[in-house]
Amino acid sequence: MNPLEPFFIRQDNIYALPAFHYNMECACQVRLAFEYLQPDCVAVELAETMQLQLLHAASRLPDLSVVMAYTEQQTPLYYLCEPCDAAFEGLRSALERQIPAYCIDLDVDGYPAIRESFPDPYSIQRIGLKTYYEAFDQAQHVSKEPLDFDREMHMAKRLKELSLRHERILFVGGMSHIRNILALTKRSRFPELIHAGREVIELCTLTEDSTREVMAECGWFTVAYEQARGEKVFIPPDRQRLIFSLFKNAAEKYIASTGNSFPGYHLRNLMKFARNYALVGQRLMPDLFQILSVARCCVDHNFAYETWLLATEYPFLSNIDNLLPLDLSLEDLWKHTKQIRFHLKQPSRKNLNFEVRQKDKGKVRFQPPNIFSICSYPPEDKAVENFGDFLKKKGTQILTEEAGRTIPFSSSLEDGIDIKETLHHWFERKLYVRVKGKPLGGVGSVVVIFDEDTPKQENEPYQEKYPWAMTWMGEHEQESDMALYSTSPLQNVIGPGISRCEYGGFLMSYPPRRMHNVWGDPDYSGCRTKAEVLLMAGIDYAQQPVIVYVAAKPPRSIFKSFAQRYGKKVVYLPLGQLSPVTLNKMRSFHVLDGYDKRSIAGEYIF
């Protein structure tokens, strides 16, 4: 069935649409059915005693409202009115077309919180409401509460009365009640049922902070629904596409706020993890809690926070009629709530003398007196040297494993039993042991390439992303010489003489104070990219025989042959094998236009 084809169950002049509350897909189906049927009356499954307030709330949409009442025990009851609810979409459409709208449900106290097991309503988007409802109706085995029979009887009675006065009635009811209600409308007599007493019924609105927390369909989905609703031809938004666009837009905010990169594989991992997480809970699409958990696990807490800000932003709060704003929590409105916490990068709360200054880019400049006066920020130097040490150990480990071999056991277990090889030669009745190999020697250079800075396609215009190429000498014996290419120091000035840059790639060579300007060296004029310049320089300047090359793709074979000519070896380590969090920390660095700026740099960098 076409998902855009409206579905309803017709009985005489009553057109019943089965739906769930607070679900975007069901609200879309109501909108489609209303435009197709053009009814002269709408009835919805909402409390009849609160009809005046509920109609007022529907007239305020897309601004949010809360209808508040009290039980006999003076416990507050809250009815949240938001656009992505099937019942409120029915009332809202009726008010816009100026046709009668009625709330026909029996108002009861003590109704239990029933958790029905039903397929993910997102499948309505794919298979249509008709197929979904038929599957739901066949699989339904929920034992109903006594109050359900009273409610269904009252709604059947009110529908019977409305059918005598109107020619075409659109009824929006609960998916598990529709069939019984339509069957009961054939009765000729109905018992008299009494509503629960409500002395006070108030209409309120929500504060902005409360809106972010309590909306059933978060702001990102609701805004998309409102935009689709405003089009001439209504096309239901696709939740899966909205989740992808949420992650994509959050990535842009994340890059701007943190300066970290956001590789393309993050989006692939996010969508795959979100799908699997939803399937664990027997759903097709993740809820907001799962979306934020996925963002936190696949990237970091800062990205999860940016995702939350975008997902819960709701621009339609206006309160033009000055209703009382309520600050409600999840526990006030919903059962079975979950909390998620974000641990954002920030300075220590115990460092009372530390104050990060406002990064006002309009008032600060980066103006080194000469090229020899610029310097780095020492804490970042230490971090990148530690990272280089880690990569040296990693490269040595790879070579050791490559040079290892398996031999039959004779007198020593060597480095342990090789289970795989022993089973492979089981017919020989011998044990095989693993012997570690010996690497060629130490690591002389480390090359890390974050981005080769080349056009994706040969025919597209090339715009250089990392124009600044530089060679730095180590300041002492514990530092390496470094050649790098990065963004311009003038591009992102965050303080007086302090600039934030981002590596495209860098070379670290040991020991220090030996490296010439590799970017002006004619020996490297035949290299195709900056990454190849760094790799060839790393081979030339390495005093130890091993060069560790970290990049998204391996180097050309010509460089391995070039290294072999001088008795050296290039060890390739895929960039994807390293932690994305660590890579984000390493990729950004700061340049100071003089050594005197080191004393104040900590006030602008953390």
Side-chain angles (χ1 to χ4, degrees), residues 22-24 64 80 82-84 210-226 239 242-243 246 286-289 291-292 307-316 334:
Y22 302 113
N23 177 259
M24 182 180 69
L64 302 182
L80 179 60
E82 59 180 69
C84 289
S210 183
T211 299
R212 287 187 178 274
E213 186 173 351
V214 304
M215 287 186 69
E217 289 282 19
C218 66
W220 185 262
F221 299 134
T222 305
V223 170
Y225 175 75
E226 279 295 315
R239 188 181 295 265
L242 292 178
I243 293 174
L246 172 62
D287 57 25
L288 181 59
F289 177 84
I291 289 172
L292 298 179
T307 305
W308 175 79
L309 284 179
L310 270 181
T312 58
E313 184 179 3
Y314 193 69
F316 299 120
W334 313 107

Side-chain angles (χ1 to χ4, degrees), residues 99-113:
I99 63 174
Y102 301 94
C103 302
I104 63 172
D105 198 0
L106 181 68
D107 194 355
V108 297
D109 270 341
Y111 191 78

Side-chain angles (χ1 to χ4, degrees), residues 398-596:
I398 292 174
L399 278 181
T400 302
E401 292 175 354
E402 287 180 353
R405 66 188 192 279
T406 300
I407 62 173
F409 169 75
S410 57
S411 59
S412 172
L413 288 177
E414 298 291 346
D415 296 303
I417 298 175
D418 191 327
I419 302 296
K420 181 179 179 181
E421 200 66 23
T422 299
L423 292 175
H424 186 67
H425 294 83
W426 187 251
F427 64 92
E428 298 178 4
R429 301 298 179 181
K430 290 182 180 180
L431 288 177
Y432 279 76
V433 294
R434 185 72 178 172
V435 179
K436 286 185 178 179
K438 295 182 180 180
L440 294 174
V443 177
S445 298
V446 173
V447 181
V448 180
I449 305 300
F450 297 100
D451 189 340
E452 289 194 359
D453 196 12
T454 55
K456 296 181 180 178
Q457 298 179 359
E458 295 182 359
N459 57 352
E460 69 177 11
Y462 174 52
Q463 184 174 2
E464 194 173 22
K465 294 166 59 178
Y466 305 97
W468 193 48
M470 182 69 181
T471 302
W472 266 347
M473 307 295 287
E475 295 185 28
H476 48 77
E477 290 300 320
Q478 281 72 43
E479 285 190 356
S480 61
D481 289 342
M482 175 180 279
L484 61 93
Y485 62 95
S486 71
T487 55
S488 171
L490 305 179
Q491 182 175 327
N492 189 8
V493 181
I494 65 170
I498 304 170
S499 174
R500 180 188 177 95
C501 299
E502 183 178 298
Y503 287 118
F506 62 78
L507 156 68
M508 301 171 68
S509 185
Y510 313 88
R513 298 192 176 276
R514 300 176 300 108
M515 189 180 294
H516 299 287
N517 180 19
V518 303
W519 303 107
D521 195 325
D523 289 341
Y524 309 137
S525 59
C527 296
R528 297 177 181 176
T529 64
K530 300 187 185 81
E532 292 187 353
V533 171
L534 294 182
L535 178 55
M536 184 165 281
I539 296 171
D540 278 342
Y541 284 100
Q543 289 190 350
Q544 299 292 334
V546 178
I547 297 91
V548 177
Y549 183 72
V550 182
K553 59 182 181 181
R556 291 190 290 152
S557 59
I558 189 174
F559 291 97
K560 295 183 178 180
S561 301
F562 176 75
Q564 189 176 9
R565 185 186 310 168
Y566 296 99
K568 300 176 183 179
K569 182 176 179 65
V570 177
V571 177
Y572 170 63
L573 180 62
L575 192 68
Q577 289 187 5
L578 302 179
S579 166
V581 176
T582 302
L583 291 176
N584 280 335
K585 290 179 180 178
M586 291 298 107
R587 190 164 187 180
S588 62
F589 67 104
H590 294 82
V591 181
L592 316 181
D593 68 3
Y595 287 90
D596 59 314

Side-chain angles (χ1 to χ4, degrees), residues 234-247:
F234 177 73
I235 300 177
D238 189 315
R239 188 181 295 265
Q240 186 179 33
R241 295 179 182 273
L242 292 178
I243 293 174
F244 179 78
S245 64
L246 172 62
F247 285 140

